Amino acid sequence: MARRTRAEMEETRLLLLQTARKVFCEQGYAEASMDDLTAQAGLTRGALYHHFGDKKGLLSAVVAQIDAEMDARLQAISDIIDDPWLAFSMRCHTYLEMALEPEIQRIIMRDSRAVLSDKLTELPTHCVTSMSNMIDKLIENKILIKTDSKMLALFIYGSLEATALWIANSLDGKTQLKQAKSTLDTLLNTLRK
């Protein structure tokens, strides 16, 4: 039997991730059958185990992929908006809006928290560091009051995360989002000079 090339292995891995995202979003993690998932991908369970170890490992990889995409979307806001205050505010608003997207809502806000809770106790250092750096620039530009930027980033990130969870698990997410965005603006505006 010929050895598979790295490109073929990566193609298999990406196919499993793509299929898992669709299945986890539509059925949820608990209801997703690995036999059905691998069949939809045209692969074997062995391929899944080889690349991800088990179903939980596959979910972890899907979450990492979606998280990276969310980060890229937020960074794109900073890249295209020159006004640092508007970019910061828009990033916060966009994070809350993402809580209504079906894939993020189901996989990130619900299933990953139930299944990967042991991995979620770590501080999201990348997010907090990125936010802290933005806050530093806002303070330097005399847009925000002078304060400990890392601590403020922790408070804002924690508030955004808790509010996004509330929106994602709400029966009327659109109404909750509207209320949350209004409150977010009030909160952020109290920090301005």
Side-chain angles (χ1 to χ4, degrees), residues 43-64:
L43 300 167
T44 64
R45 280 184 88 147
L48 184 145
Y49 293 130
H50 171 75
H51 288 281
F52 302 104
D54 58 12
K55 184 179 175 183
K56 189 174 178 180
L58 179 58
L59 176 64
S60 184
V62 166
V63 167

Side-chain angles (χ1 to χ4, degrees), residues 24-25 45 50 60 62 77-79 86 88 101 104 112 133-134 138 145 148 156 158 170 173 176 182 186 189-191:
F24 290 159
C25 181
R45 280 184 88 147
H50 171 75
S60 184
V62 166
I77 292 168
S78 295
D79 293 344
L86 182 59
F88 183 75
E101 295 176 21
I104 292 171
S112 73
N133 291 337
M134 290 184 76
L138 291 169
I145 58 172
D148 182 305
I156 294 173
S170 170
Q176 305 302 358
S182 173
T186 302
N189 284 324
T190 63
L191 300 170

Side-chain angles (χ1 to χ4, degrees), residues 12-21 23-24 29 32-34 37-38 47-49 51-65 107 116 119:
T12 298
R13 184 181 169 284
L14 291 174
L15 180 58
L16 283 165
L17 282 170
Q18 178 185 17
T19 306
R21 284 177 73 152
V23 171
F24 290 159
Y29 175 83
S33 156
M34 291 300 89
L37 188 147
T38 52
L48 184 145
Y49 293 130
H51 288 281
F52 302 104
D54 58 12
K55 184 179 175 183
K56 189 174 178 180
L58 179 58
L59 176 64
S60 184
V62 166
V63 167
Q65 188 180 54
I107 297 171
L116 304 173
K119 295 183 180 192

Side-chain angles (χ1 to χ4, degrees), residues 12-146:
T12 298
R13 184 181 169 284
L14 291 174
L15 180 58
L16 283 165
L17 282 170
Q18 178 185 17
T19 306
R21 284 177 73 152
K22 179 178 179 280
V23 171
F24 290 159
C25 181
E26 292 172 357
Q27 298 174 15
Y29 175 83
E31 298 300 317
S33 156
M34 291 300 89
D35 288 331
D36 291 343
L37 188 147
T38 52
Q40 281 188 43
L43 300 167
T44 64
R45 280 184 88 147
L48 184 145
Y49 293 130
H50 171 75
H51 288 281
F52 302 104
D54 58 12
K55 184 179 175 183
K56 189 174 178 180
L58 179 58
L59 176 64
S60 184
V62 166
V63 167
Q65 188 180 54
I66 296 171
D67 274 344
E69 291 169 7
M70 291 170 69
D71 286 344
R73 286 171 60 186
L74 295 175
Q75 184 57 48
I77 292 168
S78 295
D79 293 344
I80 60 173
I81 298 177
D82 290 332
D83 179 328
W85 174 253
L86 182 59
F88 183 75
S89 178
M90 288 300 300
R91 284 177 66 136
C92 293
H93 278 262
T94 300
Y95 182 81
L96 293 179
E97 291 166 3
M98 288 182 198
L100 290 182
E101 295 176 21
E103 188 177 57
I104 292 171
Q105 191 175 68
R106 182 83 178 251
I107 297 171
I108 302 295
M109 302 288 175
R110 293 183 185 152
D111 288 349
S112 73
R113 295 184 178 282
V115 178
L116 304 173
S117 60
D118 56 326
K119 295 183 180 192
L120 297 175
T121 57
E122 300 169 13
L123 183 66
T125 53
H126 173 72
C127 296
V128 173
T129 300
S130 174
M131 186 174 282
S132 179
N133 291 337
M134 290 184 76
I135 291 170
D136 279 334
K137 288 179 184 165
L138 291 169
I139 292 170
E140 287 171 21
N141 290 324
K142 301 189 183 331
I143 296 169
L144 282 187
I145 58 172
K146 189 169 175 129

